[in-house]
Amino acid sequence: GMLYGKILRSPYAHARIRRIDASRALAVPGVKAVVTGADMPPVKPGTIAPQGELEIDMYYLSKLILAQGKVLFHGHPVAAVAATSPEIAAYALGLIDVEYEPLEPVLDVEKAMEPTAPLLHDDLFTRSLGGVSEKPSNIALHLQMERGNVEEGFAQADVVLERTYRTQMVHQGYLEPEAETAWVQPDGRIIVWCNSQGMFAHRTQLSILFNIPPSRIKVIPTEVGGAFGGKIYVRVSPICLLLSQKTGRPVQIVLTREEVLRATGPGSPLVAHIKVGARRDGQITAIQAKFIYDSGAFPGGPVAGGVLSALAPYKTLHMRVDGYDVVTNKPRVAAYRAPGATASCFAMEALMDEVAEALGMDPIDFRLRNAVEEGDPMPNGLTWGRIGLKAMLERARRSPAWTEPLTGPYRGRGMALGFWRGGTNTSSCHITVNADGSVNVTVGSVDLSSTRTGIAQMVAECLGIPFEQVRIVVGDTDTVAHTDNSGGSRITYSMSAAVYQASQDLLGKMKVRAAGMLGVPPEQVEYRDGRFFVSDIPDKFKTFPEVCYASTRGGGALQGFGSNGRLKMAPAFSLHIADVEVDPETGKVRILRYTTFQDVGRAINPTLIEGQMQGGAVQGIGWALTEEYVFDEKGVLRNASLLDYRMPVALDLPMIDCEIIEVPASDGPFGVRGVGEAPIVPPAGALANAIYRATGVRFYRLPMSPERVFWALREAGRNGPRGQ
């Protein structure tokens, strides 16, 4: 009895909704319900729910799901239809009459900050260290970090450079569009099948949005065909739930690719103004920066993570940084693999390359001179734990990727650093034994990148049993303990502690069971190499399968439980080296060689780690060379298809080499670090620096597309090299 939902979207980037009339749509045979923003329950402003790296006030999330009073970007959901077929639902959308009052769209993030700019939200006030502003503004947040005295630092410098960088809005490009189903059952209980990175956060958000106790909502995570941070907060399932409430039947909505690009959360663009001073010996004396993040229609951009990532690799006594979260009439941004860091590190790494050149220093030597170490202060005032930045720089300096000559016209080599702080939060798992000696491990983390394999390896290691004897099951919100989102490069890291706890819990119970079988007190039982044996009598033992078998024959079931949420941060650094060749006739950049270096802490599964390093590099290459949202003057996205939104494909890429560095993290049972996000951070900076060495032209704007490179070379040929 499932129904199919379709969403009516705004044709304007900014407009008031004067009237919605759905009577003609409801008269269509097969149409069972229509919902609008008026059907969304009220949510109190300032209500925050767990969402991951980019939080959004649930008050604004409600307005993002279905427009209420105003539409704030082209494609903003205005109404939705449930019908007996997708075709009927799509037809009915055209019969919903909406009267709009168009307003001037705000598209430029710096103009949005001006006091005279049209306001998107009458109830948005700037938060800063000084408190909350008295007048509404398009600036949601002003973040400040300061250390020392930057004026004094610049006075000590022999070289001072100041530049402005701009990046564009880009999409995560996951293969599977959002596809979700909700069913409000006769007793009021709700089942949701979600295409999400976190079932518990999904449940909490639905609970707050609809004022329903979490215990009345069961969320079942489906296999996710890509996410990269873009599927953290709810968007589709609340509309399914509303339609199901009206019809009493399950409702499914599957977005089209155009809808995904036009109206789901892309990565945040950035305008960065950066000034760096350094002495002749290469020591950085001061860094001053202003990072302006465009969050789209609702506040909550990646300001904190982006600012921290740009400054993280470098020691400096004098620093002043201002970060801004600004709203515009564009799709509200979402997390995208190290959110905020790719853009900010492009700017910082490109400028650091210029500073090194001005000093006559090798780019890696310059970074080694200023690299942070364990015990140094972080930009946010915390202290660095064990990190592998210098070890990684030393490895790269000796690598053939850096030392082998690169010859030929319009060829160049560049490098850049990347960083991601890594997530911790809560991870939980249950381990149960089977009669044949195998174990089932139920986890609460959605598998986005074969994390199940790494978890199985850790369980096998902890229990001393073959890998093949471990089966990983992703539970739902009714069957497993709370686990936070799969994101932030945290799953393998935080799950390692939960796995270790659960394994020790299980082995402790099995020792008690084995003691009864061996006729000795539990404290005399030891476990090693798959055997429970009596201390000092190794020949008196029971095997792991024997104890498992006994537990299923009347001895009482055995289960181990582990949950961890108190790990220290395990930050990860990366470094990329790119060789390029630029075609001066077309502006096309061809990557000749690409090498990634990364401190992974402890390589649990090197093959999967290399896959993460390569995948992140590919997405960063797309960000650097081809990908961007193209809006017209009315705020309409003009390239909402994978034909016109140009992601790199295999033919655009070389083989990507991986160099794994292992400097164990300060916390956790195995010294693991998350690996998923750091590799997307350096590509734009590395490629910008390589293109400069190939052409003599500096680029201060992404993407460095063939057209942009072509005209920059033409301009340089007429007037001499200059930045673009």
Side-chain angles (χ1 to χ4, degrees):
M2 188 178 76
L3 301 174
Y4 299 88
K6 291 289 183 180
I7 299 171
L8 179 68
R9 299 183 180 277
S10 168
Y12 298 101
H14 197 191
R16 287 190 178 90
I17 301 172
R18 291 302 187 190
R19 181 180 61 88
I20 301 177
D21 183 357
S23 57
R24 290 196 300 151
L26 287 167
V28 174
V31 171
K32 301 299 181 182
V34 175
V35 295
T36 69
D39 294 293
M40 291 292 294
V43 178
K44 183 180 178 181
T47 304
I48 301 297
Q51 296 158 41
E53 295 160 311
L54 264 69
E55 288 189 341
I56 180 172
D57 189 325
M58 300 300 290
Y59 168 74
Y60 290 123
L61 181 56
S62 176
K63 295 175 180 288
L64 172 59
I65 291 164
L66 278 170
Q68 299 166 38
K70 288 176 74 174
V71 293
L72 294 165
F73 61 95
H74 183 269
H76 196 165
V78 174
V81 173
T84 53
S85 75
E87 294 78 14
I88 294 174
Y91 172 74
L93 291 182
L95 301 178
I96 300 175
D97 296 317
V98 184
E99 181 183 335
Y100 296 98
E101 178 192 340
L103 302 170
E104 181 185 352
V106 183
L107 302 174
D108 183 275
V109 70
E110 290 186 294
K111 290 182 179 178
M113 300 175 71
E114 296 175 359
T116 57
L119 290 175
L120 273 71
H121 306 277
D122 296 330
D123 53 4
L124 179 61
F125 300 85
T126 306
R127 292 182 296 112
S128 67
L129 291 176
V132 180
S133 64
E134 295 181 356
K135 294 183 178 180
S137 169
N138 291 325
I139 305 171
L141 173 68
H142 177 199
L143 174 73
Q144 294 172 289
M145 293 182 185
E146 190 166 5
R147 177 193 304 153
N149 185 306
V150 291
E151 286 76 16
E152 179 182 330
F154 286 122
Q156 298 170 3
D158 297 303
V159 169
V160 177
L161 295 180
E162 187 171 3
R163 300 287 185 265
T164 295
Y165 301 86
R166 289 178 169 83
T167 71
Q168 304 303 314
M169 191 168 272
V170 298
H171 200 272
Q172 297 86 349
Y174 37 77
L175 288 178
E176 181 191 17
E178 278 80 353
E180 299 187 333
T181 306
W183 185 9
V184 181
Q185 298 177 302
D187 64 355
R189 284 185 57 82
I190 298 166
I191 304 177
V192 174
W193 291 263
C194 71
N195 186 233
S196 170
Q197 293 179 233
M199 58 183 130
F200 286 95
H202 203 99
R203 183 180 69 175
T204 301
Q205 292 169 42
L206 291 176
S207 171
I208 292 172
L209 287 169
F210 293 96
N211 194 26
I212 298 171
S215 60
R216 305 287 291 172
I217 304 171
K218 177 180 180 179
V219 175
I220 302 172
T222 59
E223 295 290 340
V224 179
F228 312 109
K231 296 176 180 176
I232 287 178
Y233 57 80
V234 298
R235 281 188 297 263
V236 175
S237 65
I239 299 177
C240 297
L241 196 157
L242 277 178
L243 291 167
S244 184
Q245 281 181 330
K246 286 203 170 187
T247 63
R249 294 164 66 173
V251 178
Q252 182 181 90
I253 294 178
V254 180
L255 299 188
T256 65
R257 181 61 61 182
E258 179 182 349
E259 287 180 298
V260 168
L261 290 168
R262 198 179 295 286
T264 63
S268 177
L270 170 70
V271 176
H273 306 283
I274 308 178
K275 182 178 180 181
V276 173
R279 296 198 305 254
R280 287 191 180 89
D281 64 0
Q283 180 66 48
I284 294 172
T285 60
I287 299 175
Q288 185 172 353
K290 182 179 180 181
F291 294 100
I292 305 169
Y293 280 95
D294 183 344
S295 298
F298 295 92
V303 182
V307 169
L308 177 63
S309 296
L311 297 166
Y314 300 106
K315 293 181 183 180
T316 177
L317 295 175
H318 307 288
M319 172 193 77
R320 183 192 299 154
V321 183
D322 294 275
Y324 294 89
D325 177 16
V326 182
V327 294
T328 62
N329 290 117
K330 300 174 187 172
R332 200 273 179 179
V333 301
Y336 181 9
R337 207 168 188 164
T342 301
S344 64
C345 290
F346 153 67
M348 187 64 73
E349 292 301 299
L351 183 53
M352 289 300 182
D353 200 73
E354 279 201 73
V355 173
E357 182 184 43
L359 294 170
M361 291 186 68
D362 175 270
I364 292 183
D365 289 341
F366 174 70
R367 287 166 172 82
L368 270 167
R369 177 76 173 81
N370 295 283
V372 293
E373 302 175 87
E374 183 176 358
D376 285 337
M378 298 174 67
N380 56 12
L382 301 176
T383 301
W384 287 108
R386 191 183 300 130
I387 52 176
L389 176 57
K390 283 200 167 183
M392 185 177 62
L393 283 162
E394 292 286 2
R395 173 85 73 87
R397 183 166 62 172
R398 299 190 302 269
S399 169
W402 188 248
T403 60
E404 286 185 355
L406 177 65
T407 59
Y410 291 99
R411 289 186 170 190
R413 175 174 295 157
M415 61 80 58
L417 293 177
F419 168 82
W420 189 246
R421 58 191 172 186
T424 54
N425 296 339
T426 298
S427 289
S428 305
C429 74
H430 310 262
I431 304 177
T432 56
V433 301
N434 300 313
D436 60 359
S438 65
V439 299
N440 294 335
V441 184
T442 304
V443 298
S445 56
V446 177
D447 188 354
L448 301 177
S449 53
S450 297
T451 51
R452 278 175 289 206
T453 304
I455 294 170
Q457 288 179 268
M458 292 187 290
V459 171
E461 177 82 12
C462 290
L463 296 181
I465 62 177
F467 170 82
E468 294 76 15
Q469 293 292 93
V470 181
R471 177 172 179 261
I472 306 296
V473 178
V474 177
D476 57 52
T477 54
D478 282 0
T479 61
V480 68
H482 178 88
T483 297
D484 285 306
N485 288 328
S486 295
S489 298
R490 60 165 292 275
I491 290 302
T492 303
Y493 176 53
S494 63
M495 192 60 78
S496 68
V499 161
Y500 181 80
Q501 290 177 4
S503 299
Q504 296 307 306
D505 185 31
L506 176 63
L507 289 175
K509 295 172 181 175
M510 293 183 75
K511 284 181 180 180
V512 173
R513 189 64 51 80
M517 298 169 68
L518 294 168
V520 297
E523 57 269 19
Q524 293 186 17
V525 177
E526 298 182 27
Y527 179 72
R528 187 168 55 247
D529 300 328
R531 299 192 306 172
F532 296 90
F533 59 91
V534 179
S535 303
D536 302 325
I537 313 176
D539 292 337
K540 189 174 182 180
F541 65 87
K542 292 293 180 181
T543 65
F544 188 92
E546 287 175 328
V547 179
C548 292
Y549 181 81
S551 73
T552 64
R553 291 297 182 268
L558 292 172
Q559 182 184 68
F561 172 70
S563 184
N564 189 283
R566 297 184 178 181
L567 290 175
K568 298 177 182 177
M569 185 176 69
F573 285 93
S574 56
L575 183 156
H576 291 191
I577 299 173
D579 291 351
V580 304
E581 182 178 62
V582 179
D583 183 347
E585 299 301 320
T586 65
K588 181 175 174 59
V589 176
R590 184 164 72 96
I591 302 175
L592 305 173
R593 181 177 184 176
Y594 202 97
T595 308
T596 69
F597 301 78
Q598 190 163 327
D599 172 19
V600 306
R602 175 79 178 274
I604 298 296
N605 189 317
T607 300
L608 293 180
I609 287 171
E610 290 184 0
Q612 289 293 298
M613 293 168 68
Q614 292 164 338
V618 169
Q619 289 183 310
I621 289 168
W623 197 315
L625 299 181
T626 60
E627 295 185 45
E628 65 176 319
Y629 271 27
V630 179
F631 294 95
D632 66 17
E633 67 281 359
K634 295 182 179 180
V636 177
L637 181 64
R638 307 305 299 180
N639 59 333
S641 76
L642 292 186
L643 177 65
D644 299 313
Y645 180 85
R646 181 70 167 83
M647 291 193 298
V649 297
L651 293 176
D652 299 317
L653 302 162
M655 297 300 291
I656 296 175
D657 298 320
C658 299
E659 295 278 350
I660 294 175
I661 293 94
E662 294 184 272
V663 177
S666 300
D667 205 356
F670 302 110
V672 171
R673 299 182 194 273
V675 300
E677 293 180 278
I680 198 177
V681 181
L687 288 166
N689 295 333
I691 292 170
Y692 164 70
R693 284 176 174 76
T695 64
V697 178
R698 291 276 181 190
F699 286 82
Y700 304 114
R701 182 187 296 268
L702 297 183
M704 297 171 287
S705 61
E707 181 181 17
R708 189 163 285 143
V709 173
F710 173 86
W711 289 113
L713 294 181
R714 290 297 180 274
E715 180 70 16
R718 287 192 293 268
N719 302 316
R722 69 180 185 86
Q724 295 294 318

